[in-house]
Amino acid sequence: NSVDYKKVKIKYPVLFIDSSQLFNKLTESLRADKYCEGSALYSGKLEKQIFSPHFSLFDINYSPAHGIYKKFDGEATIRKNTHLPLIEKGVMKNIIADLRTAKKYGIVPTGNGQRSFDSAVSTDFNGLVAGAGVRSTDDILNSLDNCIVVFMGHGGDFTDKGDFATPLHLSYLLEKGEIVGRLPPLTVKTSTDAMFGSRLIEIANDGFLKNNIQPSIFSEMDVYLN
């Protein structure tokens, strides 16, 4: 019997060089308007455990180590806590709001009113950074039997339930930290719950590229041959 390899599913540790796209569904829940309207995936989850205790996420407005210098936002709001915990050890702790949104929903503004010279104020993050782990990216890669490192994976999206899939256009297989070779076109699938929860492997204390402010996030995903 012939095998349809396009339907074969393999589980691999996966590392996205640019992990910002992995936060897209989660960030909806961290904005006051979406959260308070009840339309976000994690509406009603403040102070509840939603992810692995090893996952934290911060909105950073001032950190020379990360190259972020925003002592006040576009509305001149100064936030005392430069590293606002949004997710802390897996617990949802805060949502962000500018002055207008904070007044509308009766919450405290968080210094997240962003504007450019030709735009009105909108609620947005200053610098969204995951909490750093203990080991370096190299140390984690060297400890894994295999890992897919994604340099280019665009065109994917999230469902309303938080399921995620994206094609990989440029990725490499590493074994014990050594490059085995470039991989053919693949698709990876996971969910927001899984990638930061039950299938989170580890978060490094640095990025794959030394100029990355985002520490490397290793998570197990389902991998399909296109």
Side-chain angles (χ1 to χ4, degrees):
N1 295 331
S2 62
V3 177
D4 185 353
Y5 287 98
K6 292 185 178 181
K7 296 182 179 179
V8 173
K9 178 180 71 175
I10 304 173
K11 296 179 180 180
Y12 271 104
V14 177
L15 166 63
F16 279 78
I17 299 301
D18 178 10
S19 59
S20 59
Q21 63 179 306
L22 303 180
F23 299 140
N24 287 353
K25 193 62 182 178
L26 172 58
T27 54
E28 290 181 5
S29 300
L30 300 174
R31 301 173 191 267
D33 52 352
K34 294 283 188 180
Y35 181 89
C36 294
E37 288 169 2
S39 60
L41 183 62
Y42 299 104
S43 288
K45 297 294 186 178
L46 274 173
E47 297 300 335
K48 294 184 179 180
Q49 189 88 32
I50 60 173
F51 297 130
S52 164
H54 300 293
F55 180 72
S56 297
L57 189 66
F58 300 88
D59 179 65
I60 299 177
N61 67 330
Y62 183 80
S63 174
H66 293 92
I68 301 173
Y69 302 89
K70 294 184 180 179
K71 288 197 172 183
F72 54 87
D73 69 356
E75 298 175 302
T77 300
I78 298 175
R79 190 173 75 199
K80 292 182 179 180
N81 189 350
T82 59
H83 291 58
L84 180 70
L86 303 173
I87 310 292
E88 191 169 41
K89 295 182 178 180
V91 177
M92 190 172 181
K93 301 296 292 185
N94 287 288
I95 53 178
I96 63 167
D98 58 21
L99 293 176
R100 179 184 61 82
T101 306
K103 182 177 181 180
K104 180 178 179 179
Y105 294 107
I107 59 178
V108 177
T110 57
N112 288 89
Q114 311 296 355
R115 73 195 315 168
S116 62
F117 72 95
D118 60 348
S119 70
V121 174
S122 62
T123 305
D124 207 349
F125 302 93
N126 293 290
L128 201 60
V129 181
V134 176
R135 297 196 294 170
S136 70
T137 298
D138 286 344
D139 285 343
I140 297 172
L141 285 170
N142 290 336
S143 70
L144 293 172
D145 289 337
N146 47 59
C147 182
I148 294 175
V149 179
V150 182
F151 285 82
M152 187 181 298
H154 302 295
D157 205 353
F158 288 84
T159 68
D160 290 341
K161 294 183 179 180
D163 295 321
F164 173 71
T166 188
L168 305 184
H169 309 292
L170 178 60
S171 61
Y172 291 84
L173 178 65
L174 275 68
E175 293 182 354
K176 295 293 186 180
E178 296 294 328
I179 296 177
V180 176
R182 180 176 175 176
L183 292 166
L186 303 172
T187 293
V188 293
K189 295 183 179 180
T190 184
S191 69
T192 302
D193 283 345
M195 77 174 86
F196 304 128
S198 60
R199 299 179 74 176
L200 178 68
I201 297 171
E202 191 171 348
I203 298 178
N205 61 17
D206 61 359
F208 184 88
L209 302 176
K210 299 311 175 185
N211 60 345
N212 282 7
I213 66 169
Q214 197 69 250
S216 297
I217 299 174
F218 294 83
S219 187
E220 184 187 70
M221 300 184 186
D222 297 332
V223 181
Y224 299 82
L225 181 65
N226 289 350

